[in-house]
Structure formats: C-alpha cells, structure tokens
Amino acid sequence: MKVALVTGSSSGIGKAICEQLITHDYKVYGISRHSGEIICDLQDSKALHVKIKELLKTTDIDLLINCAGLGVFAPHEEISLDKIDELIDVNLKAPIILTNLCLRSLKKTKGHIINIASVEATKHSKFSALYTATKSGLRDFSLSLFEELRRSGVRVTSINPDMTKTAFFDKLNFEPSSKEDCHINPQDIAQAVMQIIHSPFVTTDITIRPQKLEITKKKI
C-alpha cells in the first residue's frame, strides 16, 4: 500500500484529495491543526520536524502533497506583521521544510511531490502582493526542485487553482460566484491530482480555471 502525506487535510481541497487517495488504496497521513493523523500547527517548525521524523522512522512516503494555505488580500501597509509571518510560514516555509524532511524517503520510493500553489502565482493582482509572493515562491520552488530531482526519479508538480469553493474565503470580503461555470470545486482539483499521479509523464506545472470569472462581494 502506498503512503501519502497531505497538509490541510481537514477541509477544502486537502480533504477532497485525501478522500480520493483513500479510494485508490493509499494510506493517508493528514496534517492539520485540528484533526487528522498528525495534529500540528504548520507555523511550529520544531514540532513539525519532530512529528515527521517520528513518522519516517517506520514509514516511507510515496506522495507528499502540500495543500494547506491561507490568504489575505488588502493594501500591503494594512497587513499586520503577524499575518505576514503566518502566510509565509504556512504557504511557503512549511512545504519547503516538509520536502526537506521527506526527500530521502521520496527518493527511495521514487515518489511524487505535489504543491498546491495558486493562479495568483502566474499573474499579478491588486491587493495580492503578499499572497502572490508566497504562492509564486512555492511554484518556483516546485519547478526548480523538479530539475534537481529528475535523475532521482522523483516527480514534482505545481498545481495552480483559480477560484475554488472552499472555506478559504470564509474570512475574506469576497468569494467565487455560485454559478457552476464561475468556480472550481475541491473535487475537481482532487480528480486532477489523481490524473497527474497516474500519468506516464510528469506534469510539472498546471493551472486549473473555471470558464468564466465572477466574484461575489460580501456585506461586512
């Protein structure tokens, strides 16, 4: 049985991916602050290091999916230093650390690393400078890492989803339109993950978008 390690496993895209992996006979270790096989705050690098090292003593990883992510969209001078630290830690630092910790195991299994970046990593939007910086960093980390790991047999993929209907938008002042052709569902991303995993070729970078763009502003 193959083993997957997935961050952000308790909701949204991460949860949908875990459900798909389980139906394909993966043993899934989910990392989340609130529930899952590994309960850990991704901002706590030392605790993350301890928990993953403990897992790796008895388990080899076939698939690492860095899915956890946070967003803030505001004038940059209005973003608190704590929020800046949080986004960098969760969106970029944690995936880099997890990859570092798991890479020897992934080389042994000739495994696969999938990083869930964002469409914002491929373009430039108003009030998205911090979020874009973290997701662009994750995407470029993925693309550079693939070049480093090609000879080892480890695959690396960056997935860049557009507006996806998840709890990501719960604390934001906007959300994707509920119209079917104006948003992506978490299950769509999960299905794309399975196609990428089972492909005989390596998909290094893929952007997934709804046909139309329509945003709903919330009343705050």
Side-chain angles (χ1 to χ4, degrees), residues 78-213:
E78 296 179 8
I79 304 173
S80 70
L81 295 183
D82 285 345
K83 183 58 72 173
I84 291 173
D85 283 340
E86 185 180 20
L87 256 73
I88 293 172
D89 286 347
V90 174
N91 292 2
L92 182 58
K93 186 178 177 181
I96 291 173
I97 289 173
L98 278 167
T99 301
N100 173 271
L101 294 172
C102 295
L103 203 45
R104 285 185 174 86
S105 182
L106 286 159
K107 285 182 176 180
K108 183 178 177 182
T109 63
K110 297 190 182 300
H112 199 149
I113 302 164
I114 297 180
N115 292 319
I116 307 298
S118 168
V119 68
E120 292 299 327
T122 70
K123 62 191 186 76
H124 307 96
S125 301
K126 185 178 179 181
F127 301 139
S128 182
L130 173 60
Y131 180 71
T132 296
T134 62
K135 290 299 188 177
S136 296
L138 182 60
R139 179 175 180 241
D140 283 334
F141 172 69
S142 305
L143 294 171
S144 295
L145 192 65
F146 170 72
E147 299 299 337
E148 177 181 331
L149 298 177
R150 294 183 79 170
R151 288 183 179 274
S152 71
V154 177
R155 298 182 174 202
V156 185
T157 300
S158 175
I159 299 179
N160 315 305
D162 204 339
M163 303 279 280
T164 307
K165 273 281 189 183
T166 69
F168 177 88
F169 295 95
D170 285 357
K171 295 182 180 180
L172 301 179
N173 63 0
F174 67 97
E175 61 185 352
S177 167
S178 59
K179 296 178 182 177
E180 287 189 4
D181 58 354
C182 295
H183 68 265
I184 303 167
N185 292 310
Q187 293 76 18
D188 300 326
I189 308 299
Q191 289 176 9
V193 166
M194 300 314 302
Q195 291 171 359
I196 289 166
I197 290 170
H198 292 128
S199 171
F201 305 104
V202 185
T203 300
T204 56
D205 189 57
I206 182 171
T207 301
I208 300 173
R209 312 191 73 174
Q211 181 63 36
K212 297 179 181 179
L213 173 63

Side-chain angles (χ1 to χ4, degrees), residues 38-56:
I38 301 173
I39 298 175
C40 185
D41 184 346
L42 291 177
Q43 285 194 272
D44 189 342
S45 299
K46 290 182 179 179
L48 185 64
H49 181 272
V50 169
K51 288 179 180 288
I52 298 306
K53 282 293 188 181
E54 189 65 28
L55 173 66
L56 292 172

